[in-house]
Amino acid sequence: MTDHENNRTVPNALPTGYRFNEFEIKEVIGGGGFGIVYRAWDHQLERTIAIKEFMPSTLAVRNDDMTLVLRSERFGKAFSAGLNSFIQEARLLARFNHPNLLHVLRFWVQNDTAYMGTVFYSGTTLSRLREKNPQMINEAWIRRTLPMLLGAIKTIHDEGYLHRDISLDNIQIQDNGLPVLLDFGSARRSIGSVSDETETMLRPGYAPIEQYTDDNESEQGPWTDIYALGAVLHTLIVGSPPPVSVVRSIQDGYQPLAHRHLPGYSPSLLQAVDKALALKMEDRPQTIDEFAALIEMPVAGLDDVLNVKKPGTMLVPIEEVETKPGVLDWRRYKVPGLVAAGVLVGLIAGGVLFHQGNAPQENANQTASTGPADTPVAPATPAAPPAQNSAPVSTPPAATSTTAASAQDTAPTAPAQTAPVAADKPAATTPPAAIAQVYVRMNEGEKLTLNGESQSITPASNGFATLKLQPGQYALVLQGNGQTRHQTLNITSAGTWLVNPQP
């Protein structure tokens, strides 16, 4: 499904207002060579759903009575194969109830074709998101999103099935930031297999070599989906998919990402993508778990995803743990505090750390500022009132409401009077040491203030700036590019935070 801005006239689409008993078509939200997707209203349950119609435009057209008619009798076998595969796909998807997999509510046959009613997902496809906001895609974003996709794909594989059509167009990024893996490639594959149009049915650059061979069923396995997933990551990182696998089998012109100068991306991620895109099946990771281990990240469990409520602040408290070199025990690095944090992982100094624990509720909506990594920053004195001309910072939208402190302008003060120091006056109390390492997502051109004081810092190549903070409350404001982002951070215990302030 595509986003709401993709409202366009799709040939052979059902008209607005058309009814399937309790379902009423409201608008067309997407269309391709094999189907049309509609936004519909369920009058019985009073909710919005999506309806996908099997409509291979190369094989059939819509008649005046809304039924489908073959363009030619010779397309009958291909249409039947695709229709049966579409129905089987609906039945298969209905078996899964995973938050990152397309969830089918029901399916039916009508108008000489088939339909599936699914949950209506907000947001946009990953393809369109990359086109509109390329600056948003970096390693931190990939490491937040990928574990959930890995969990969805592993769920399919564990049941003995393959997706076979993983691409940017088949990954929906919802408004809450969570990904959903959409349609399987079953109907596309079935039509191609009976019409000798297999090459045109596959997505160039995303399909591995075994999907082009005659005996493709026996040679395909989890490594087939892993190749396609590697192509997705390749596209996100460099902006284009890898060369077509058939061409590579003749003369392999693939340039390994690990050998290219790609600042902001860790060697583990680049090397894993190269491994996933190996031309030979046996040279790729054979399972999702193996692929995840190469990237040094976990596969998100169902409980991890269900705990995610809302995006925004990326809050990942981390506790130091000892590990053997080169060995990662994922059971010791689970994700805490996701109810308001709304993420699974964070990029911290080019790596990903996880910790089993519970983040304090008051920290769930917090934002820290960035500053010199080796310079602790003390919290503002609570008794100091904000200046009269200070602008209040609005409360950021998050699962738990917090009030951001006002940005303060420091007023000039009169010179202090010199006074003798009593002999029995106690020595000044040593300020508490910094206990929190904070990573803040900064965009190009943004300026940061912490408790009203400007911070002369810039983000690193990964898009994050760092700051060490003492215990206390902090109000963070990022200004630039015509917007203001802000949030508060309450440091009460030692840890490491990765935060992304919101407008």
Side-chain angles (χ1 to χ4, degrees):
M1 285 176 286
T2 57
D3 57 273
H4 293 257
E5 297 178 5
N6 193 27
N7 295 334
R8 63 187 187 277
T9 301
V10 175
N12 298 304
L14 291 168
T16 300
Y18 186 84
R19 291 286 293 264
F20 296 104
N21 294 324
E22 70 270 27
F23 302 139
E24 179 183 354
I25 300 295
K26 290 297 185 181
E27 67 173 334
V28 178
I29 58 175
F34 297 91
I36 302 174
V37 183
Y38 308 90
R39 179 176 64 86
W41 178 253
D42 184 341
H43 286 273
Q44 184 173 353
L45 296 180
E46 296 185 342
R47 63 177 178 178
T48 297
I49 69 166
I51 295 178
K52 182 179 178 182
E53 177 184 40
F54 176 66
M55 175 61 217
S57 57
T58 59
L59 307 180
V61 295
R62 193 178 303 282
N63 210 343
D64 291 339
D65 61 358
M66 301 302 161
T67 60
L68 299 193
V69 180
L70 293 176
R71 293 181 178 270
S72 172
E73 290 298 327
R74 64 188 179 92
F75 294 145
K77 185 177 180 181
F79 183 89
S80 297
L83 180 62
N84 289 333
S85 188
F86 181 89
I87 295 173
Q88 292 303 318
E89 177 185 344
R91 288 174 174 162
L92 173 60
L93 286 168
R95 295 181 53 180
F96 299 115
N97 189 20
H98 192 285
N100 301 121
L101 278 175
L102 177 68
H103 183 54
V104 172
L105 304 172
R106 59 168 295 188
F107 71 92
W108 65 97
V109 175
Q110 193 171 330
N111 295 335
D112 293 332
T113 186
Y115 301 84
M116 66 171 81
T118 74
V119 171
F120 182 83
Y121 298 102
S122 62
T124 185
T125 63
L126 182 53
S127 176
R128 187 171 293 268
L129 179 68
R130 186 187 66 82
E131 291 175 2
K132 290 185 175 181
N133 301 297
Q135 74 284 351
M136 177 180 177
I137 309 298
N138 53 30
E139 181 159 350
W141 187 91
I142 290 173
R143 287 185 176 274
R144 289 197 305 272
T145 307
L146 190 56
M148 292 178 274
L149 285 175
L150 294 178
I153 298 170
K154 187 176 186 297
T155 298
I156 298 172
H157 292 176
D158 288 347
E159 292 293 323
Y161 297 98
L162 300 176
H163 189 281
R164 292 190 175 98
D165 195 20
I166 297 173
S167 69
L168 273 70
D169 290 323
N170 266 342
I171 298 173
Q172 181 94 356
I173 305 299
Q174 302 176 73
D175 290 338
N176 62 6
L178 303 186
V180 177
L181 188 58
L182 302 180
D183 311 336
F184 284 37
S186 55
R188 174 190 298 263
R189 186 174 64 259
S190 296
I191 292 175
S193 65
V194 298
S195 61
D196 295 327
E197 298 177 359
T198 303
E199 184 169 350
T200 61
M201 301 297 165
L202 299 175
R203 298 181 190 269
Y206 295 89
I209 188 64
E210 63 266 22
Q211 286 190 276
Y212 289 90
T213 61
D214 293 334
D215 191 23
N216 56 3
E217 291 293 332
S218 62
E219 294 181 348
Q220 293 182 40
W223 50 88
T224 302
D225 285 341
I226 290 173
Y227 185 99
L229 186 57
V232 167
L233 295 174
H234 185 283
T235 306
L236 294 178
I237 293 171
V238 302
S240 61
V244 179
S245 58
V246 172
V247 177
R248 292 182 60 193
S249 67
I250 300 172
Q251 183 177 3
D252 195 355
Y254 177 74
Q255 298 180 353
L257 299 184
H259 297 168
R260 301 166 67 172
H261 181 64
L262 297 170
Y265 289 95
S266 63
S268 63
L269 176 61
L270 300 180
Q271 292 168 6
V273 173
D274 290 337
K275 190 79 172 176
L277 291 173
L279 196 58
K280 295 181 180 180
M281 298 174 290
E282 59 271 20
D283 292 338
R284 300 176 214 147
Q286 300 296 291
T287 65
I288 288 294
D289 286 327
E290 185 180 337
F291 180 57
L294 288 176
I295 310 180
E296 300 178 352
M297 69 165 53
V299 177
L302 188 58
D303 291 340
D304 295 328
V305 181
L306 292 177
N307 283 336
V308 177
K309 297 296 184 182
K310 191 171 183 177
T313 303
M314 297 178 291
L315 181 62
V316 185
I318 298 167
E319 184 177 290
E320 297 295 333
V321 291
E322 295 183 1
T323 58
K324 296 180 180 179
V327 179
L328 296 176
D329 184 358
W330 301 120
R331 291 172 298 180
R332 300 178 63 185
Y333 294 87
K334 286 191 176 181
V335 183
L338 293 177
V339 172
V343 293
L344 286 179
V345 297
L347 173 64
I348 297 182
V352 177
L353 300 176
F354 292 81
H355 167 61
Q356 177 71 47
N358 295 314
Q361 180 63 31
E362 64 269 21
N363 288 353
N365 252 348
Q366 296 161 349
T367 303
S369 84
T370 54
D374 56 350
T375 304
V377 178
T381 304
Q388 191 169 355
N389 62 342
S390 63
V393 179
S394 60
T395 302
T400 303
S401 176
T402 59
T403 302
S406 300
Q408 300 181 19
D409 296 328
T410 304
T413 57
Q417 296 291 332
T418 303
V421 178
D424 58 349
K425 185 175 181 179
T429 304
T430 303
I435 62 172
Q437 182 82 10
V438 179
Y439 295 80
V440 180
R441 182 73 172 90
M442 289 185 67
N443 299 322
E444 190 71 24
E446 285 186 323
K447 300 297 182 181
L448 185 147
T449 60
L450 180 67
N451 289 337
E453 297 183 4
S454 178
Q455 306 292 314
S456 300
I457 55 172
T458 56
S461 59
N462 60 13
F464 289 86
T466 58
L467 180 69
K468 289 184 178 180
L469 298 178
Q470 300 171 359
Q473 266 198 325
Y474 300 87
L476 171 78
V477 179
L478 287 170
Q479 291 182 313
N481 306 318
Q483 70 171 356
T484 300
R485 299 191 294 136
H486 45 72
Q487 210 161 353
T488 59
L489 177 66
N490 185 26
I491 302 297
T492 59
S493 58
T496 303
W497 284 265
L498 176 61
V499 294
N500 184 19
Q502 296 299 298

